[in-house]
């Protein structure tokens, strides 16, 4: 009896030692690539929809990026177009047709087979005129229906009624949905899938067991087990939780917090340089806006707008509001957009005396420190901006001070977003406004609705029946030219000219391009923050969590 | 007056004097932006440092005192008077008036006034002078802040209605409004004073929250509310302890005021 | 000699039943009115039709028009409200625009959180305030008085958002933030009421007779200050509910307050109407309950 016990005991001991050794090795640093773990970060707002074709807001975009499988992926770091679900593709010469050769052997997260039928189904749904999605509208270059031709289970051709500029890149936004699966939009092709959703609180994404991508050593991606997204709109709380180690990354961080983080934990703060975003100011030029006639005359004068632009100290804005983490903006396209940026243009330098000369040329004169127009009206106007955006509020206060030196009195009014939108796009009862533009796309064709005078987002004077000024007519012509051309060089020529006209006429007074700032904790390995969204988790499928740093929390 | 009251008096007087002397003590003014030193710590030129766009915080505290400590008590007075009228009068009259007032007050407490405020902002012109915007803000606060204490007052006045000395006063020929003002209101003083003292800081803070809707004190005018909201971005008080000065100052001033008048609150 | 008052239970069952029925009817009418008024306020406020997505340049003109028409069904406020009431009787409270979920399930999963946070916070606030106020009245030392004023004043002057952030920093529970927000208001009122009650002449007389402090408190102070304290308790419920909005939003507690903040930001009419109805109901019940208690405890004239 004694010997049996000893044998059992020794077997138990060896087994335990083996288990122990396995545990030790798995947790030891520098061991084979750590698998698993849960990445945690915050969404700034509630995701409005999980239908990938209807996605429009930031939070839903992030979820779609992580769960959706696309045909081609624009690599956020190199900006090259890479094959994903499509092994190769061919664009026709006229820019109207694209043919994809799809990857075989791919299945959705629920196991159903992926084939060209799913791509056809997705495109048909996307191009349904009743859908009203921004992803679908980006493909709409002209009237007519879009047709899909299934050439083989792994080959599909999509034909558009008129040429679409930058057609292949647009497919980076189209997440393929299943045509047949009973799970509908819950069946995904991306690295993660939605597991739990608590409205207003958090969202849990789990690894997709059927994800097709493997790394160079043949291991199935993603490395992470799950991603937890908490819904937290308050940046102070987000920063607190990051510092405490409850969050692993902050995708976009304010410059105040960035500096504090950089001084306490320099490795965690990343400044990727000027982003594609811009903040700008514009004046209301709508013909029948409910503002005094003499003010409308000021705002419609190019001299007035240029003078205001020259009177604003952009270097101060970049330095004070963003702690140096911003560049003075030049125009519609940021200098970070290497191909499309018109490198001949420079940001408007601060020249208050020239600004005054320009104004005097228009009949303005200074008296007792205040500026008056030629009819004797004191120059006073209001700037509306959205509340809660501290950088814009601060910029408005600084612009107020800059213009006060010219004798112009500015009233800063911060409004809640819906009231602001109603004022600037429906009622037009505003004088000047400061807003920002979040550019997701490198291709300026996405800005069509801003530059066309007949369009909705032509902020200073939308939905014109016919262009009210010669320069707006010229911009219309140039934008249409770049949209219908397939030659990138010709398109760049047209758009360069658009940028020049915008710099001369200043319908938008571009202020700054903020830098892309993000925070990544030491626990995350493989992160490489970039300027294109999503800045920190664009390579989520290859991110890993450093096991020892995690274990010590 | 004992030592504590003397100290309180001194504090109140010196704060008033300082704020009136703001022009001399802080000649740079509350709006000048020292853009070379945003968010700077205290120094000889800037006793409390500078705010995020480089404005001298000490100047903003002094000028803000004028605005907030003048207008917030005025708004508190408005709300106290309204509470006395609605709550006290209804309780005193009793019967259907009391029920009506109570229902009205309860409804008033539950409605989302945020949307009314948004509508008010939309009706106001965009280019309203800062002084006018301040007055309108505090007027609105006064008009909205009376409901909670009106409820308590209605109970107090209801109890007083049938009390001995009111019956006695009626018997001796005193009626109506005079009876209300001479005999009932003084007995409502505990609640009225409590309402007044609570409302002042509440309105100072509420004014800052109204800034989100476009109401509130217009830039570049400083207000205590906006100075107190600076605390929100503070992750560690150890890093920038001078940012606590506005809130400490407000606490000290409020405490001194209340100490000075604390006897008034309980005597009939 | 001042007559001492005895407290007796007042009405027989039938009269009570009638009064209760009348009260409930009043509450129901007020709740319905509150819902209609709030719906009107939300509808009339500017920006009702405005959607953030309008500013997205990739949307075509038709899509923007569709966005603007999305709320067309809610333009007729009376029609909307009638439809809402009909649905509510079936148990369907509408669907929230902002969160895309039925309001009924949202409220059902969130009200326990708010009940817990606001309830414990309120109890804690009352405990702190009444202890402080009572001891101030009994002890009668000026230093203590100053201490009370300063402490309660301090928490009154700190913005609610800052208190909530502090509780996140210190990893304190959410109900503590609510307690700190509400307690100064309770303290000020109750201190004044108790002090007034203690300053009445018959207290001095009772003390002169040699009555112990506990008996003075129970038989002479509380009957005078009691009714008003109960009324105060009624309104502190609505103050606590108001305090849950910043606290839940910042502390990440998935309760009704967080919902209210979301709804207000996005002008979510179905959600806002339901929340107003809920808040009105709770406020009315709390205050009516206080009224009833005061009425029942009212001393009968000897």
């Amino acid at each position: 009896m004694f010997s049996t016990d000893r044998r059992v005991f020794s077997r138990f001991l060896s087994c335990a030692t083996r288990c122990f050794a396995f545990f030790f090795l798995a947790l030891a640093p520098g061991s084979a690539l750590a698998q698993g773990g849960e990445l945690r970060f915050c969404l700034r707002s509630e995701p409005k929809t999980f239908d990938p074709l209807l996605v429009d807001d930031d939070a839903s975009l992030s979820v779609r990026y992580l769960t959706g499988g696309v045909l081609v992926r624009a690599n956020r770091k190199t900006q090259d177009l890479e094959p994903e679900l499509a092994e190769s593709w061919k664009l026709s010469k006229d820019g109207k047709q694209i043919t994809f050769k799809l990857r075989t052997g791919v299945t959705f997260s629920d196991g159903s087979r992926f084939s060209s039928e799913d791509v056809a189904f997705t495109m048909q749904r996307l191009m349904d005129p009743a859908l009203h999605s921004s992803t679908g509208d980006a493909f709409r270059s002209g009237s007519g229906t879009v047709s899909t031709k299934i050439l083989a289970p792994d080959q599909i051709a999509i034909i558009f009624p008129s040429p679409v500029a930058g057609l292949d890149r647009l497919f980076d936004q189209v997440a393929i949905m299943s045509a047949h699966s009973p799970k509908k939009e819950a069946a995904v092709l991306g690295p993660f899938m939605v597991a739990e959703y608590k409205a207003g609180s958090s969202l849990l994404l789990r690894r997709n067991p059927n994800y097709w991508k493997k790394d160079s050593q043949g291991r199935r991606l993603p490395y992470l087990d799950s991603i937890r997204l908490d819904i937290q709109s308050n940046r102070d709380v987000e920063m607190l939780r990051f510092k405490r180690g409850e969050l692993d990354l902050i995708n976009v961080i304010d410059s105040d917090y960035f500096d504090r983080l950089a001084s306490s934990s320099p490795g965690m703060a990343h400044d990727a340089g000027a982003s594609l975003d811009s903040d700008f100011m514009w004046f209301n030029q709508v013909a029948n806006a409910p503002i005094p006639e003499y003010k409308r005359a000021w705002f419609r004068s190019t001299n007035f707008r240029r003078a205001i632009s020259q009177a604003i100290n952009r270097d101060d804005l970049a330095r004070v509001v963003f702690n140096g983490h911003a560049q003075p903006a030049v125009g519609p396209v940021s200098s970070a957009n290497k191909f499309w940026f018109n490198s001949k243009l420079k940001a408007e330098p601060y020249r208050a005396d020239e600004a005054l000369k320009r104004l005097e040329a228009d009949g303005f004169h200074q008296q007792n420190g205040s500026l008056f127009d030629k009819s004797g009206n004191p120059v006073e106007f209001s700037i509306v901006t959205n509340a809660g955006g501290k950088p814009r509020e601060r910029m408005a206060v600084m612009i107020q001070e800059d213009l006060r030196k010219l004798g112009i009195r500015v009233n800063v009014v911060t409004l809640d977003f819906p009231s602001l939108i109603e004022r600037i796009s429906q009622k037009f009862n505003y004088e000047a406004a400061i807003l920002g533009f979040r550019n997701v796309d490198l291709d300026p064709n996405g800005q069509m609705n801003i530059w066309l005078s007949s369009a909705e987002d032509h902020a200073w004077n939308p939905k014109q029946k016919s262009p009210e000024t010669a320069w707006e007519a010229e911009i219309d012509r140039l934008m249409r030219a770049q949209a219908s051309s397939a030659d990138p060089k010709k398109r760049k020529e047209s758009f360069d000219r658009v940028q020049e006209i915008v710099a001369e006429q200043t319908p938008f007074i571009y202020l700054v391009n903020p830098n892309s700032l993000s925070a990544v904790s030491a626990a995350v390995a493989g992160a490489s923050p970039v300027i294109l969204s999503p800045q920190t988790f664009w390579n989520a499928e290859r991110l890993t969590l450093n096991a020892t740093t995690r274990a010590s929390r | 007056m004992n030592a504590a009251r003397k100290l309180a008096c001194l504090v109140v007087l010196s704060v008033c004097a300082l704020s009136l002397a703001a022009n001399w003590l802080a000649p740079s003014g509350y709006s000048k932006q020292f853009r070379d030193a945003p968010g700077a710590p205290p120094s000889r030129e800037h006793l409390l440092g500078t705010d995020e766009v480089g404005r001298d915080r000490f100047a903003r505290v002094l000028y803000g005192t004028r605005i907030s400590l003048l207008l917030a008590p005025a708004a508190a007075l408005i709300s106290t008077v309204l509470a006395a009228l609605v709550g006290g009068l209804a309780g005193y009259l009793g019967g259907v008036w009391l029920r009506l007032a109570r229902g009205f007050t309860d409804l008033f407490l539950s409605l989302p006034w945020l949307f009314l405020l948004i509508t008010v902002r939309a009706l106001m012109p965009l280019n309203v002078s800062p002084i006018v915007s301040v007055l309108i803000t505090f007027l609105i606060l006064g008009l909205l802040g009376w409901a909670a204490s009106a409820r308590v007052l209605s109970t107090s006045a209801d109890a007083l209605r049938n009390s001995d000395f009111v019956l006695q006063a009626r018997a001796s020929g005193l009626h109506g409004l005079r009876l209300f003002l001479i005999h009932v209101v003084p007995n409502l003083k505990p609640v009225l004073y409590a309402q007044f003292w609570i409302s002042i800081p509440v309105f100072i803070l509420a004014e800052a929250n109204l800034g989100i809707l476009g109401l509130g004190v217009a830039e570049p005018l400083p207000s205590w509310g906006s100075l107190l909201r600076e605390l929100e971005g503070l992750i560690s008080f150890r890093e920038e302890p001078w940012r606590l000065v506005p809130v400490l100052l407000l606490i000290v001033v409020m405490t001194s005021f209340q100490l000075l008048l604390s006897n008034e609150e309980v005597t009939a | 000699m001042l007559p001492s008052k005895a407290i007796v239970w007042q009405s027989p069952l039938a009269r009570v039943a009638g009064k209760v029925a009348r009260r409930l009817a009043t509450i129901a009418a007020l709740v319905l009115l509150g819902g209609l008024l709030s719906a009107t306020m939300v509808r009339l406020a500017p920006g009702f039709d405005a959607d953030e997505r309008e500013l997205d340049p990739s949307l075509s003109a038709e899509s923007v028009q569709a966005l603007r028409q999305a709320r067309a069904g809610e333009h007729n406020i009376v029609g909307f409200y009638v439809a809402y009431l009909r649905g509510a009787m079936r148990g369907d409270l509408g669907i929230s625009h902002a969160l895309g979920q039925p309001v009924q399930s949202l409220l059902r999963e969130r009200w326990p959180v708010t009940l817990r946070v606001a309830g414990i916070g309120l109890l804690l606030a009352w405990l702190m305030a009444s202890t402080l106020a009572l001891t101030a009245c009994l002890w009668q030392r000026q230093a203590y008085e100053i201490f009370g004023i300063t402490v309660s004043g301090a928490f009154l002057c700190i913005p609610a958002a800052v208190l909530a952030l502090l509780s996140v920093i210190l990893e304190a529970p959410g109900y503590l933030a609510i307690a700190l927000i509400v307690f100064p208001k309770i303290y000020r009122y109750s201190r004044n009421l108790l002090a007034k009650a203690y300053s009445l002449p018959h207290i001095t007389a009772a003390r002169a007779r040699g009555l112990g402090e506990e008996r003075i408190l129970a038989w002479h102070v509380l009957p005078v200050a009691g009714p008003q304290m109960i009324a105060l308790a009624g309104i502190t419920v609505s103050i606590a509910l108001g305090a849950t909005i910043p606290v839940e939003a910042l502390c990440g507690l998935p309760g009704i307050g967080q919902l209210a903040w979301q709804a207000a930001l996005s002008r979510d009419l179905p959600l806002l109407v339901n929340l107003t109805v809920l808040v009105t109901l709770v406020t009315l019940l709390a205050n009516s309950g206080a009224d009833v208690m005061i009425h029942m405890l009212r001393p009968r004239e000897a």
Side-chain angles (χ1 to χ4, degrees), chain A residues 56 137 199 234 244 416 449, chain C residues 56-57 59 63 110 168 171 267:
Chain A
D56 211 339
D137 286 350
N234 187 290
R244 257 194 273 173
D416 59 303
N449 277 333
Chain C
D56 184 354
L59 282 178
S63 303
R110 282 166 181 266
V168 176
E171 293 186 55
R267 311 291 174 90

Side-chain angles (χ1 to χ4, degrees), chain C residues 231-250:
Chain C
L232 182 66
I235 59 157
T236 50
V237 171
S238 77
I239 296 179
L241 275 184
T244 59
I245 298 182
V247 169
E248 282 182 12
L250 290 170

Side-chain angles (χ1 to χ4, degrees), chain B residues 2-260:
Chain B
N2 64 17
R5 289 235 165 75
K6 282 205 196 110
L7 188 61
C9 197
L10 192 65
V11 166
V12 170
L13 286 176
S14 35
V15 167
C16 288
L18 279 176
S19 72
L20 287 173
N23 296 346
W24 296 280
L25 290 169
S28 51
Y30 56 81
S31 64
K32 179 162 161 125
Q33 296 171 3
F34 295 89
R35 294 184 180 174
D36 294 318
S43 63
R44 190 113 42 97
E45 301 92 38
H46 307 291
L47 287 174
L48 288 176
T50 58
D51 71 1
E52 67 275 351
V53 284
R55 295 178 294 199
D56 181 25
R57 192 172 283 118
F58 182 60
R60 288 180 75 75
V61 168
L62 288 181
Y63 282 96
T65 309
R66 280 191 203 172
I67 296 172
S68 297
L69 286 192
L70 190 65
L71 291 175
L77 194 63
I78 295 177
S79 78
T80 309
V81 165
L82 277 175
L85 283 177
V86 176
L89 206 56
Y92 170 68
L93 291 171
V96 69
W97 291 108
L98 183 59
R99 282 204 291 271
L100 217 64
R102 281 195 174 150
F104 176 60
T105 311
D106 287 341
L107 206 56
F108 201 88
L109 275 175
S110 328
L111 292 176
W113 292 110
L114 179 74
F115 297 99
L116 185 73
L117 294 173
I118 294 178
T119 312
V120 167
R121 172 70 249 187
L123 295 173
M124 275 165 54
L126 281 175
N127 283 309
V128 74
S129 89
I131 309 291
V132 174
S133 82
V134 169
L135 288 174
I136 293 183
T137 306
F138 281 104
L139 183 67
I140 293 176
L141 285 173
L143 289 174
L144 291 180
W146 55 268
S149 78
R151 210 48 174 78
V152 181
L153 281 170
S154 70
T155 310
S156 316
D158 190 30
L160 283 169
R161 180 160 45 97
N162 296 317
S163 67
D164 294 345
F165 66 92
V166 168
L167 289 172
Q168 261 182 327
R170 259 208 205 106
S172 46
L174 209 51
H175 284 294
L177 197 63
R178 286 197 70 201
L179 178 60
F180 177 67
L181 288 174
I182 297 176
H183 286 276
V184 176
V185 169
N187 282 290
L188 296 177
K189 265 208 266 182
V191 181
L192 289 174
Y193 267 98
Q195 149 87 345
F196 183 70
W197 291 129
I198 290 177
S199 299
I200 297 176
V202 166
F203 287 169
I204 289 179
L205 293 175
E207 174 275 313
N209 287 331
L210 287 183
I212 296 181
L213 305 174
L215 297 164
V217 172
E219 290 279 7
L221 271 182
S223 72
W224 279 87
S226 58
L227 288 167
L228 289 172
R229 284 202 77 197
E230 276 190 345
L231 287 175
E232 279 177 32
L234 207 55
I235 294 214
S236 162
F237 294 115
R238 276 169 295 179
E239 286 172 25
E240 292 174 40
W242 56 89
R243 289 225 249 165
L244 289 173
V245 169
V247 74
L248 290 174
L249 200 55
L250 182 62
I251 296 174
V252 164
V253 169
M254 289 306 305
T255 309
S256 309
F257 263 124
Q258 289 175 69
L259 260 184
L260 280 178

Side-chain angles (χ1 to χ4, degrees), chain A residues 46 56 132 134 137 199-200 232 234 237 240 244 416-419 421-422 425-426 437 449-450 456-457 463, chain C residues 46-47 50-52 54-60 62-63 66 68 99 110 165 168-169 171 250 258 262 267:
Chain A
E46 191 77 31
D56 211 339
H132 298 302
S134 72
D137 286 350
Q232 177 59 265
N234 187 290
V237 177
L240 249 159
R244 257 194 273 173
D416 59 303
F417 224 85
S419 302
I421 294 177
E422 193 187 73
S425 46
Q426 290 172 27
F437 192 43
N449 277 333
I450 298 181
E456 283 285 340
D457 288 298
K463 291 195 289 215
Chain C
D51 190 317
E52 217 177 283
E54 274 181 48
L55 297 180
D56 184 354
S58 21
L59 282 178
S60 70
E62 293 85 25
S63 303
R68 293 207 183 130
L99 300 175
R110 282 166 181 266
L165 278 173
V168 176
I169 294 178
E171 293 186 55
L250 290 170
Q258 203 189 56
Q262 272 270 38
R267 311 291 174 90

Side-chain angles (χ1 to χ4, degrees), chain A residues 160-180:
Chain A
F160 294 86
S162 40
V164 181
L167 181 57
D168 46 359
R169 266 185 192 268
L170 288 175
F171 281 92
D172 171 275
Q173 304 289 315
V174 181
I176 305 297
M177 297 178 70
S178 168
H180 304 297

